[in-house]
């Protein structure tokens, strides 16, 4: 099978599906229309599926042999962002947008499904197509995995469209791809009072500001400069009047690192700083640390297979290196359980105004990338089925 030729037959399909999903984005755990359309397409292709985790779907294509079992995964949810770019297929759901490329991810996996279903009699493996909900909510992958409906995979592949890479390139480097992703809520408990008489109050804004400042010492003084560590406070809310100290201030933020050991140590470091800072200024606190997603780490063997796959579909120049980045991705849970690969698929093209970052209100993608991503799904599966066949003899 010439994978690029086969996938190119479905280029219009890939583009049309991406634009349809882009017009109808849905937030995490609300992907009702999205799930229905995915299932309609699978039914049309004759691919059996099961519903999982509410709005998730697992479809199965059986080749000549039951093993190896290879998973191909995409995420399907959108973000609470108002789209501002004028497109003929712009979002019709007010305040909701596919600003992270998941519309393209769905399209690429459905396109790969078409090719694989058409060549089912040539496959030597079992294929699991995983349409996962709620990646942005960070708990979709675990719910799919814990459902028990997926079973054991010999290898699994996922991918993300990336506007930092030029369209026509793919990165499948071994090792860390994304940092761990943890989140925190902090409540500073002070004492309310008149803004003109601060000595009778405990100002939670002042204490909160000291906490924000002190937390930055973790990256500058408590962890190795060789480690990637991000501690960011991103919201800070307190008070309603210009002359009144509120009783509380509420902060939230995120914490990122590639280092699994450090990931476990960071919550203790953070709470120690919050505790002692609050004690210094006579305030109390509440601390909630949650959604501790592990780092996304590519398996070395799978990365080598994937590198060969990229070269087959895009040539030597199509394979590029891209350093791991401090984003979070719950595909990490798949890679904790199964050897696999997470690919970065370039979708940047400044001439087409496709150069804005993920989660940007003007995010868009060069739709040529849909063909390359779908082809990678198919080629990796074909190459991995040979590589992993001996593992199950």
């Amino acid at each position: 099978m010439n994978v690029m030729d086969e996938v190119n037959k479905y280029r219009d399909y890939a583009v049309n599906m991406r634009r349809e999903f882009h017009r109808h984005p849905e937030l995490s755990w609300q992907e009702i229309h999205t799930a229905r359309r995915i299932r309609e397409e699978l039914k049309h292709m004759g691919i059996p599926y099961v519903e999982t985790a509410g709005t998730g779907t697992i479809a199965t294509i059986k080749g000549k042999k039951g093993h190896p079992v290879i998973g191909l995964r995409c995420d399907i949810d959108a973000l609470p962002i108002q789209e501002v770019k004028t497109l003929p297929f712009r979002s019709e759901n007010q305040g909701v947008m596919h600003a992270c490329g998941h519309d393209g991810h769905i399209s690429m996996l459905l396109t790969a499904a078409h090719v694989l279903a058409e060549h089912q009699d040539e496959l030597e493996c079992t294929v699991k197509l995983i349409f996962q909900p709620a990646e942005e909510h960070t708990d979709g992958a675990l719910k799919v995995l814990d459902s028990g409906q997926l079973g054991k995979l010999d290898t699994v592949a996922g991918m993300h469209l990336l506007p930092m890479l030029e369209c026509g390139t793919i990165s499948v480097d071994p090792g860390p791809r994304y940092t761990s992703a943890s989140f925190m809520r902090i409540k500073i408990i002070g004492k309310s009072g008149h803004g003109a008489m601060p000595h009778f109050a405990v100002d939670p804004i002042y204490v909160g500001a000291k906490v924000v400042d002190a937390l930055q010492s973790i990256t500058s003084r408590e962890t190795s400069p060789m480690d990637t560590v991000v501690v960011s406070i991103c919201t800070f809310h307190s008070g309603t009047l210009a002359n009144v100290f509120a009783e509380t201030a509420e902060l939230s933020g995120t914490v990122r690192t590639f280092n699994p050991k450090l990931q476990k140590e960071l919550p203790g470091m953070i709470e120690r700083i919050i505790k002692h800072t609050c004690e210094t200024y006579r305030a109390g606190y509440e601390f909630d640390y949650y959604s501790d997603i592990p780092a996304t780490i590519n398996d070395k063997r799978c990365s080598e297979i994937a590198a060969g796959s990229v070269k087959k579909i895009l040539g030597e120049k199509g394979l590029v290196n891209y350093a791991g980045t401090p984003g979070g991705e719950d595909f990490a849970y798949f890679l904790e359980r199964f050897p696999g690969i997470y690919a970065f698929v370039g979708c940047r093209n400044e001439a087409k105004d496709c150069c804005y970052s993920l989660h940007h209100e003007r995010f868009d993608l060069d739709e040529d990338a849909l063909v390359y991503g779908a082809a990678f799904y198919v080629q990796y599966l074909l190459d991995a089925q040979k590589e992993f066949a001996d593992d199950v003899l």
Side-chain angles (χ1 to χ4, degrees):
M1 182 197 314
N2 184 306
V3 172
M4 283 301 298
D5 285 349
E6 293 303 306
V7 172
N8 265 313
K9 294 177 183 178
Y10 292 98
R11 187 188 188 283
D12 289 345
Y13 172 83
V15 170
N16 290 337
M17 291 307 301
R18 181 257 166 161
R19 293 183 178 187
E20 178 180 340
F21 289 118
H22 193 88
R23 280 195 300 268
H24 305 287
E26 296 171 300
L27 299 175
S28 301
W29 300 123
Q30 300 174 33
E31 311 98 328
I32 306 301
H33 169 82
T34 304
R36 182 172 64 250
R37 285 296 292 120
I38 289 168
R39 294 163 188 168
E40 287 173 355
E41 290 300 307
L42 292 169
K43 185 176 181 179
H44 177 72
M45 296 179 219
I47 303 174
Y49 63 84
V50 295
E51 300 177 10
T52 185
T55 49
T57 306
I58 301 173
T60 303
I61 301 174
K62 293 186 177 180
K64 297 175 185 177
K65 300 176 183 178
H67 288 87
V69 181
I70 300 174
L72 303 176
R73 172 268 196 183
C74 77
D75 37 18
I76 69 173
D77 53 333
L79 287 159
I81 294 174
Q82 178 63 44
E83 186 168 17
V84 301
K85 190 172 182 178
T86 302
L87 295 169
F89 51 90
R90 69 180 298 173
S91 172
E92 296 177 10
N93 295 348
Q94 186 72 16
V96 183
M97 177 190 173
H98 269 298
C100 203
H102 296 188
D103 51 343
H105 299 173
I106 305 167
S107 166
M108 292 188 294
L109 190 52
L110 284 174
T111 303
H114 261 293
V115 174
L116 294 170
E118 188 175 321
H119 294 271
Q120 183 172 356
D121 59 348
E122 302 172 33
L123 300 179
E124 300 286 341
C125 64
T126 296
V127 186
K128 297 285 186 177
L129 306 170
I130 308 156
F131 297 86
Q132 180 211 304
E135 186 276 329
E136 299 292 354
H137 203 267
T138 73
D139 58 353
L142 271 181
K143 289 191 183 300
V144 170
L145 289 165
D146 291 345
S147 72
Q149 294 172 294
L150 184 58
K152 181 183 180 299
L153 303 177
D154 292 285
T155 183
V156 62
M159 65 176 71
H160 208 300
L161 290 160
L162 201 68
M164 284 72 86
L165 292 178
E166 291 297 323
C167 184
T169 64
I170 298 178
S171 162
V172 290
D173 300 66
R177 298 284 76 206
Y178 281 127
T179 57
S180 60
S182 307
F183 299 88
M184 57 183 164
R185 286 186 289 260
I186 306 165
K187 178 185 275 190
I188 308 297
I189 305 170
K191 182 180 178 182
S192 63
H194 198 292
M197 294 175 275
H199 54 299
F200 291 129
V202 176
D203 178 6
I205 296 176
Y206 181 81
V207 180
K210 292 293 185 182
V211 167
V212 173
D213 183 58
L215 287 176
Q216 300 316 303
S217 67
I218 291 175
T219 58
S220 66
R221 292 295 180 269
E222 295 206 34
T223 57
S224 169
M226 303 303 292
D227 278 316
T228 296
V229 182
V230 177
V231 180
S232 294
I233 298 299
C234 299
T235 70
F236 193 138
H237 301 289
S238 183
T240 56
L241 294 172
N243 63 344
V244 176
F245 292 116
E247 184 173 336
T248 63
E250 296 188 4
L251 296 71
S252 68
T254 189
V255 182
R256 310 291 171 110
T257 183
F258 288 118
N259 186 329
K261 181 175 181 290
L262 191 56
Q263 181 188 4
K264 296 177 182 178
E265 296 172 349
L266 281 165
M269 294 183 190
I270 292 167
E271 185 166 14
R272 168 174 50 79
I273 288 172
I274 295 169
K275 178 178 183 291
H276 291 298
T277 303
C278 287
E279 286 177 349
T280 299
Y281 298 101
R282 298 175 295 124
Y285 76 94
E286 294 175 4
F287 179 58
D288 180 23
Y289 200 85
Y290 63 99
S291 193
D292 208 12
I293 301 170
T296 303
I297 301 175
N298 281 345
D299 177 81
K300 181 180 178 182
R301 179 187 183 191
C302 295
S303 180
E304 291 172 353
I305 299 168
S309 303
V310 174
K311 291 177 184 178
K312 287 177 183 177
I313 61 174
L314 292 174
E316 292 285 342
K317 292 183 178 179
L319 179 66
V320 296
N321 298 116
Y322 188 79
T325 183
E329 169 58 70
D330 69 358
F331 187 71
Y333 291 116
F334 283 89
L335 294 181
E336 277 195 328
R337 302 192 189 192
F338 314 115
I341 182 72
Y342 193 75
F344 290 147
V345 178
C347 65
R348 184 182 186 85
N349 187 329
E350 293 192 27
K352 296 181 180 180
D353 197 35
C354 300
C355 51
Y356 298 95
S357 66
L358 300 172
H359 293 213
H360 193 283
E361 60 189 5
R362 296 183 64 85
F363 173 78
D364 194 9
L365 57 97
D366 184 339
E367 292 176 322
D368 289 345
L370 301 175
V371 173
Y372 305 139
F376 175 75
Y377 271 135
V378 176
Q379 190 67 62
Y380 178 77
L381 181 129
L382 295 176
D383 295 339
Q385 73 175 357
K386 297 176 184 177
E387 180 71 24
F388 285 91
D390 293 339
D391 290 3
V392 295
L393 293 177

